[in-house]
Amino acid sequence: MARYDVAIVGGGSAGALLAAQLSEDAGRQVVLVEAGGEPDDPDIAVPQAWPALQGRSYDWDYRTEPQPGTAGRVHAWARGKALGGSSLLHAMGHMRGHPADFAAWAAATGDARWSWEGLLPAFLAIEDHSLGGDGVHGKGGPLPVTLPGEDVSPVARAFIEAGAALGLPSIRGHNTGEMVGVTPNSLTIRDGRRITVAEAWLTPAVRARKNLTILAGHLVRRLKLDGNHAVALEAAGPDGPVEITADRIILSAGAIESPALLMRSGIGPQAVLAEAGIACRIAAPDVGRNLQDHLLGAGNLYAARRAVPPSRLQHSESMAYMRAGDFSAGGRPEIVVGCGVAPIVSERFTAPPAGAAYSLLFGVTNPSSRGTLRITGPEAGDRLVIDPCYLQTERDRKLFRAALAAAREIGHRREMAEWRERELLPGPLETDTGIDRFIAEAAITHHHPSGTCRMGGDDHSVVDPDLRLRGLDNLHVVDASVIPTLTAGPIHASVLAVAETFARKAIAGA
Ligand SMILES: Cc1cc2nc3c(=O)[nH]c(=O)nc-3n(C[C@H](O)[C@H](O)[C@H](O)COP(=O)(O)OP(=O)(O)OC[C@H]3O[C@@H](n4cnc5c(N)ncnc54)[C@H](O)[C@@H]3O)c2cc1C
């Protein structure tokens, strides 16, 4: 049986980057273990097709518990299951976040590496941005990022004009540190194609390295522990059970499967493990806690006066970040309004045909609601209880109302008049109760589950500031689960920056 220096569990956004970076040293034997296969669906490359990919064979396709905060609804959570992970399914928005988001990470860990300034070298190294070379955006990195120009829909252009007329600054993308303002979204699209993390990092040259083994179609069932050491992975491969041994193990199975895998291995809250029939090896009460996600209200819907041209990008073409209740205030954003150039609504509403309507989406940038995730049994197939506790705080509900109000103000502006025939949703609403009811019916996931193995400087955090699991000396967690608090926008860029920052330290031998 082969023995590796490093085993990485999960070939998704973080794992694919790590496999490429850590195998740069030909003397290090690296194995990347991925439950899914090679992505072979041609639709993955088509940016407009992204919503249709959900539910296909390479989607883990989770369900949340019914959510009291969203009218008892069960939310489908897509997660990629193939090399490239959720970068195969995602909506391609590339947003680093606001410096204050990372100041919170640095405060939580007591480690300046996780501040905006600390992460900047990683952001720059990752990107090959169309604005690259200006000292702010990266140039020559593996991941193409484009700030679109003429491809932006005329509806999104009108949205941007309306936001600017209300006082929002016009900004050049969301990645300079100034997020408050209005701009087209930066996208991981090049020449009209989605570029996945697998394409960007697991290039033919990287795959040809003799010291990198990629085991696709291998589902890791649990970690084998010996005292304070993780000695092996027990996996189910295409030909039966496999044991993979390695000196160091990195979990990059994502915000749902990384904590679940820890719990199945006896690392987690004692009561959860006992109920699932698993002997507790390391009591780690915070594994599976601190679950966070962004919601988007879908949508503030408008019937179009004339045919809305189909998106040449990925439908959600511009996001305006802002303070609540004041279009001209700067600082850390509190709410977001996005322009969907298609009729985007939750399953509770009927969408008009494509071309006949468009939606303004709205949400809260840094929600305070926190949920939990737990296993119910020892096997990978045992049900996961995913409870994001959406909209549990009055703060989140209040900011959501402000976000809907901002969407409607933009949507009713003169600059949008050539597209707007009339508002279809929500229509007249007078009381906070009525507004809350509409939001509860309209909110859909923005697809950013995170936080379930949070990093921190405190003893209860799941991983320490070096992303080492507390209680084991050779196990790290590197993926969206370690993010202690959400960034203001979509989190993919920051997940990659976390992985890049970790890889740099590992490469330096620390
Ligand atoms: C529909 C959708 C739209 C999104 N839109 C955006 C967007 O526009 N912008 C943005 O910034 N973010 C977006 N995101 C979020 C972003 O894609 C994720 O936050 C990010 O990809 C998470 O990276 P990760 O490495 O933590 O996990 P993943 O990329 O999910 O990787 C985890 C990998 O581990 C594998 N795995 C899991 N369990 C096991 C196991 N037991 N054994 C072996 N392998 C295992 C999985 O198959 C997967 O390949 C979106 C996500 C989705 C699903």
Side-chain angles (χ1 to χ4, degrees):
M1 180 205 310
R3 185 180 177 82
Y4 299 94
D5 296 310
V6 180
I8 302 163
V9 181
S13 298
L17 180 155
L18 288 173
Q21 298 293 65
L22 299 183
S23 63
E24 241 173 38
D25 175 353
R28 184 186 283 128
Q29 291 295 327
V30 177
V31 62
L32 177 64
V33 189
E34 165 58 42
E38 292 285 348
D40 55 4
D41 180 350
D43 289 349
I44 291 171
V46 182
Q48 299 78 17
W50 78 266
L53 307 181
Q54 291 167 44
R56 294 194 184 174
S57 60
Y58 48 92
D59 178 3
W60 288 83
D61 199 15
Y62 295 100
R63 293 289 178 280
T64 69
E65 295 300 290
Q67 293 296 290
T70 61
R73 292 160 56 218
V74 169
H75 298 257
W77 276 13
R79 297 282 94 192
K81 186 181 189 179
L83 285 165
S86 296
S87 81
L88 307 173
L89 298 179
H90 79 0
M92 294 151 279
H94 182 86
M95 295 189 202
R96 293 173 177 173
H98 187 270
D101 301 333
F102 304 106
W105 294 13
T109 53
D111 191 328
R113 234 178 329 157
W114 304 115
S115 66
W116 169 264
E117 294 77 14
L119 285 161
L120 202 50
F123 282 122
L124 290 167
I126 289 164
E127 298 165 353
D128 187 19
H129 199 295
S130 57
L131 303 178
D134 59 357
V136 180
H137 301 90
K139 190 176 177 62
L143 187 68
V145 183
T146 305
L147 181 65
E150 59 188 31
D151 282 341
V152 175
S153 156
V155 181
R157 286 177 201 279
F159 169 84
I160 290 168
E161 276 177 39
L166 283 164
L168 287 172
S170 295
I171 51 177
R172 280 188 95 206
H174 294 103
N175 292 311
T176 63
E178 289 301 325
M179 265 186 104
V180 165
V182 63
T183 168
N185 295 336
S186 301
L187 302 168
T188 51
I189 295 176
R190 173 153 295 167
D191 300 329
R193 289 184 76 248
R194 171 207 294 270
I195 305 297
T196 72
V197 168
E199 284 172 275
W201 272 275
L202 298 179
T203 60
V206 168
R207 284 168 179 260
R209 289 177 186 162
K210 292 204 163 35
N211 63 320
L212 174 63
T213 305
I214 299 179
L215 297 178
H218 283 68
L219 174 78
V220 177
R221 296 170 58 216
R222 62 180 62 84
L223 309 165
K224 216 164 141 182
L225 308 182
D226 182 8
N228 63 350
H229 218 65
V231 287
L233 306 172
E234 287 178 17
D239 304 320
V242 182
E243 197 166 290
I244 299 155
T245 53
D247 292 340
R248 282 209 279 170
I249 293 173
I250 302 173
L251 288 192
S252 297
I256 298 173
E257 288 298 332
S258 282
L261 199 47
L262 288 173
M263 290 188 237
R264 285 182 206 119
S265 310
I267 303 167
Q270 280 168 296
V272 170
L273 300 182
E275 221 173 294
I278 295 168
C280 180
R281 305 294 301 269
I282 298 173
D286 277 21
V287 171
R289 286 200 186 138
N290 193 45
L291 176 60
Q292 297 169 50
D293 188 21
H294 285 129
L295 282 173
L296 280 179
N300 173 209
L301 180 72
Y302 296 87
R305 177 178 291 279
R306 57 201 177 95
V308 175
S311 176
R312 294 161 72 178
L313 299 167
Q314 36 62 285
H315 311 295
S316 167
E317 298 194 359
S318 170
M319 304 290 247
Y321 288 89
M322 65 193 86
R323 301 288 295 177
D326 185 353
F327 284 99
S328 46
R332 187 182 193 181
E334 292 176 308
I335 58 171
V336 60
V337 178
C339 181
V341 303
I344 304 168
V345 294
S346 81
E347 81 289 352
R348 286 286 171 107
F349 301 99
T350 306
Y358 56 91
S359 285
L360 300 190
L361 309 168
F362 52 95
V364 177
T365 54
N366 301 94
S368 56
S369 299
R370 299 285 181 269
T372 57
L373 178 154
R374 65 182 167 83
I375 55 169
T376 58
E379 292 304 330
D382 293 327
R383 191 173 86 87
L384 290 179
V385 178
I386 300 172
D387 185 0
C389 293
Y390 283 140
L391 291 169
Q392 283 306 290
T393 67
E394 178 52 26
R395 175 190 172 276
D396 290 354
R397 291 191 291 272
K398 191 172 161 200
L399 284 173
F400 237 106
R401 278 177 229 133
L404 173 58
R408 298 178 87 181
E409 215 170 326
I410 296 174
H412 286 84
R413 281 287 307 183
R414 173 164 57 78
E415 292 75 11
M416 298 217 62
E418 68 170 301
W419 295 100
R420 180 185 62 242
E421 183 189 280
R422 68 196 156 93
E423 185 186 74
L424 296 172
L425 287 175
L429 279 178
E430 266 140 43
T431 62
D432 280 358
T433 316
I435 293 169
D436 284 353
R437 198 174 308 128
F438 170 70
I439 291 169
E441 304 266 3
I444 56 174
T445 176
H446 201 354
H447 304 289
H448 305 151
S450 50
T452 44
C453 298
R454 73 178 171 91
M455 60 170 152
D458 60 299
D459 292 344
H460 277 291
S461 59
V462 177
V463 296
D464 70 15
D466 288 331
L467 310 187
R468 190 189 310 270
L469 189 103
R470 292 185 186 278
L472 286 181
D473 61 9
N474 67 334
L475 181 80
H476 291 85
V477 185
V478 186
D479 58 27
S481 69
V482 303
I483 288 178
T485 43
L486 279 167
T487 55
I491 62 171
H492 191 244
S494 59
V495 172
L496 295 176
V498 166
E500 173 75 18
T501 301
F502 174 85
R504 286 167 172 233
K505 185 157 184 204
I507 289 164

